[in-house]
């Protein structure tokens, strides 16, 4: 009987584990877009300064929001008909607002000594709202910054994410910041994106991984994120007419992300504009809108912010799905092994030579001279190595018409692809069984105008 009971428990556990992985990425993306509107909550050590980037060695004694009431935040979100929240668990200065074992630079070393992440998650779930978390890769307190990153730093990141994804229930999405941005300069190689992505999915398979800085990549494909993000304050704006990817657009209700001393008396953004220029049109463009509301140093939201949220709730109700999100290729999550490798190609102008096609800059291009009838481009590795994906990013939509891809192994060129471009959009993704080679070559057979390649990437995704 005991053996039968154990077998039943094991079967139920397997069923539960299986059910946790039944949702496809496309379904998760659709569910995220259907949420429509949520609350970003920037609340951390910068709250106790008058600037968003405080001294990373500021004393934990400064963090003491004596009246903090996360249920007030949740009720405020509910009043605006929001469906979820997202809290800054750690910002760029490195202060952790949860009970972490990874560092003493946390809320548990402050006079407050309360797990803010737990209280936030409990309060939002009590109001029927989904829970998302924000986490910064850049950590100035831990000296986790460009040219200083060690294996110990990467271990700390993994352990902090393990804590956040293990101790606070279901996390709908993890929004990551401080990665591959011009101001952070931490690349997806310095802190391997695929390692972190797969860690998150191994703990919570249905948790979407979102990189806030993936906007530098073309809008036609998902590079290093499950959801394409657009920070309006940084000049990143979604095309409400052309977008076909699941997306997120963010904006603060107040003037800054973190609370400032001027906020209680300052004007907030007009509720009608938030509704008519953001929530409604973005919903029709497969885009979720997240509005930041910054709690003050007492841990409460100011009256003017609460009033604006209630007004938004009067003007807008979540009427559900506005459209079916088009299915996109799976996100590119591994390192580009072709980046900055030696290249050769057919004749081009001096200002657009072949090296511009693998410089990790989608604003530069290799332009084949129009007089060349059959342009080709080759990237070389210093040894044979495995790869299973080639991504060709055209400068313009519908420019590349037909081409072939080959790889070189033991001095012999072998085929990878020969035919029409798989899509008329800029980004052409080719996934295939893993091969080994020391070079990859593209030969253009037909083009709609002069050949111009923004980026040529080669990847080896783990299977």
């Amino acid at each position: 009987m005991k053996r039968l009971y154990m077998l039943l428990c094991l079967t139920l556990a397997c069923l539960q584990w299986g059910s946790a992985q039944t949702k496809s990425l496309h379904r998760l993306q659709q569910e995220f877009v259907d949420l429509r509107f949520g609350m970003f909550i920037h609340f951390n050590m910068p709250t106790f300064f008058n600037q968003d980037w405080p001294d990373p060695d500021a004393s934990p004694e400064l963090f003491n929001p004596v009246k903090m009431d996360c249920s007030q935040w949740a009720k405020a979100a509910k009043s605006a008909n929001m469906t979820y929240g997202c809290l800054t668990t750690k910002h760029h200065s490195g202060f952790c607002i949860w009970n972490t074992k990874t560092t003493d630079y946390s809320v548990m070393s402050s006079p407050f000594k309360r797990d803010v992440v737990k209280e936030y998650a409990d309060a939002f779930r009590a109001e029927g709202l989904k829970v998302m978390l924000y986490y910064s890769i850049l950590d100035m307190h831990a000296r986790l910054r460009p040219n200083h990153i060690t294996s110990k730093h990467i271990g700390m990141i993994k352990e902090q994410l393990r804590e956040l994804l293990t101790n606070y229930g279901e996390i709908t999405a993890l929004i990551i910041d401080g990665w591959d941005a011009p101001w952070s300069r931490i690349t997806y190689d310095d802190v391997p994106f695929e390692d972190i992505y797969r860690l998150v999915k191994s703990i919570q398979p249905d948790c979407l991984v979102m990189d806030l800085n993936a906007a530098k990549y073309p809008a036609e494909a998902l590079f290093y994120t499950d959801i394409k993000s657009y920070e309006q304050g940084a000049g990143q704006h979604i095309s409400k007419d052309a977008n076909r990817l699941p997306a997120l657009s963010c904006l603060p209700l107040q003037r800054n992300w973190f609370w400032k001393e001027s906020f209680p008396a300052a004007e907030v953004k007009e509720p009608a504009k938030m509704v008519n220029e953001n929530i409604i049109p973005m919903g029709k463009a497969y885009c979720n809108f997240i509005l930041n509301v910054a709690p003050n140093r007492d841990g409460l939201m100011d009256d003017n912010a609460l009033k604006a949220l209630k007004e938004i709730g009067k003007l807008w109700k979540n009427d559900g799905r506005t459209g079916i999100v088009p299915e996109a290729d799976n996100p590119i999550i591994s390192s580009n092994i072709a980046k900055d490798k030696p290249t050769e190609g057919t004749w081009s102008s001096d200002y657009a030579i072949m090296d511009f096609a693998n410089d990790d800059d989608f604003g530069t291009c290799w332009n084949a001279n129009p007089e060349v009838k059959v342009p080709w481009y080759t990237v070389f590795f210093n040894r044979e190595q495995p790869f299973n994906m080639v991504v060709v990013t055209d400068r313009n939509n519908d420019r590349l018409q037909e081409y072939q891809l080959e790889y070189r192994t033991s001095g012999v060129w072998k085929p990878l692809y020969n035919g029409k471009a798989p899509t008329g959009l800029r980004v052409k993704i080719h996934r295939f069984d893993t091969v080994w080679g020391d070079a990859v070559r593209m030969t253009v057979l037909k083009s709609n105008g002069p050949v111009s390649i923004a980026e040529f990437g080669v990847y080896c995704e783990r299977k």
Side-chain angles (χ1 to χ4, degrees), residues 163-189:
E163 290 176 344
L164 291 170
L165 294 166
T166 302
N167 299 332
Y168 301 99
E170 181 182 351
I171 306 302
T172 299
L174 177 70
I175 297 180
I176 300 179
D177 198 5
W179 220 346
D180 203 46
W183 45 267
S184 75
R185 296 170 293 120
I186 297 174
T187 72
Y188 297 128
D189 304 321

Side-chain angles (χ1 to χ4, degrees), residues 210-368:
M210 300 167 53
D211 183 9
L212 273 182
N213 299 296
K216 88 168 193 181
Y217 294 93
E220 293 82 10
L222 294 170
F223 286 82
Y224 305 104
T225 188
D226 288 333
I227 303 289
K228 191 76 172 174
S229 62
Y230 296 87
E231 185 180 333
Q232 293 187 46
Q236 300 165 6
H237 298 286
I238 190 170
S239 171
K240 295 172 185 175
D241 298 320
N243 179 60
R244 292 295 178 268
L245 293 177
L248 172 76
S249 180
C250 57
L251 196 68
L253 176 65
Q254 296 121 323
R255 292 181 181 176
N256 304 82
W257 293 103
F258 284 98
W259 188 85
K260 302 293 181 289
E261 292 169 359
S262 62
F263 276 13
E267 287 186 3
V268 298
K269 291 184 175 66
E270 189 179 331
K273 282 191 174 182
M274 296 301 96
V275 172
N276 296 319
E277 296 180 11
N278 290 280
I279 305 172
I280 293 175
M282 286 181 186
K284 296 176 182 177
Y286 318 113
C287 184
N288 187 317
F289 180 59
I290 184 168
L291 182 66
N292 187 75
V293 188
N296 60 33
R297 290 173 186 168
D298 284 333
L300 298 172
M301 291 179 175
D302 294 327
D303 290 342
N304 56 353
L306 296 175
K307 181 181 177 182
L309 291 171
K310 286 181 181 177
E311 186 62 27
I312 290 172
K314 292 176 184 176
L315 296 171
W316 181 80
K317 302 290 188 292
N318 188 345
D319 53 2
R321 181 172 298 176
T322 60
I324 303 298
V325 177
E327 285 208 49
D329 283 292
N330 284 338
I332 296 161
I333 63 172
S334 58
S335 294
N336 178 9
I337 62 176
K339 183 171 69 174
D340 297 328
K341 293 295 190 295
T343 60
E344 286 293 344
T346 48
W347 178 26
S348 60
S349 302
D350 291 344
Y351 64 87
I353 61 176
M354 59 287 299
D355 299 329
F356 285 122
N358 68 331
D359 61 353
D360 198 36
D361 184 345
F362 290 82
T364 61
C365 301
W366 164 63
N367 294 336

Side-chain angles (χ1 to χ4, degrees), residues 418-431:
N418 190 323
K420 293 182 178 180
T423 174
L425 299 176
R426 290 181 64 202
V427 183
K428 333 288 187 183
I429 299 176
H430 297 270
R431 285 183 165 97

Side-chain angles (χ1 to χ4, degrees), residues 218 223 362 391-395 426-428 452-456:
F223 286 82
F362 290 82
V391 180
V392 183
T393 302
D394 205 346
R395 180 180 183 179
R426 290 181 64 202
V427 183
K428 333 288 187 183
S452 183
I453 304 300
E455 281 296 308
F456 188 88

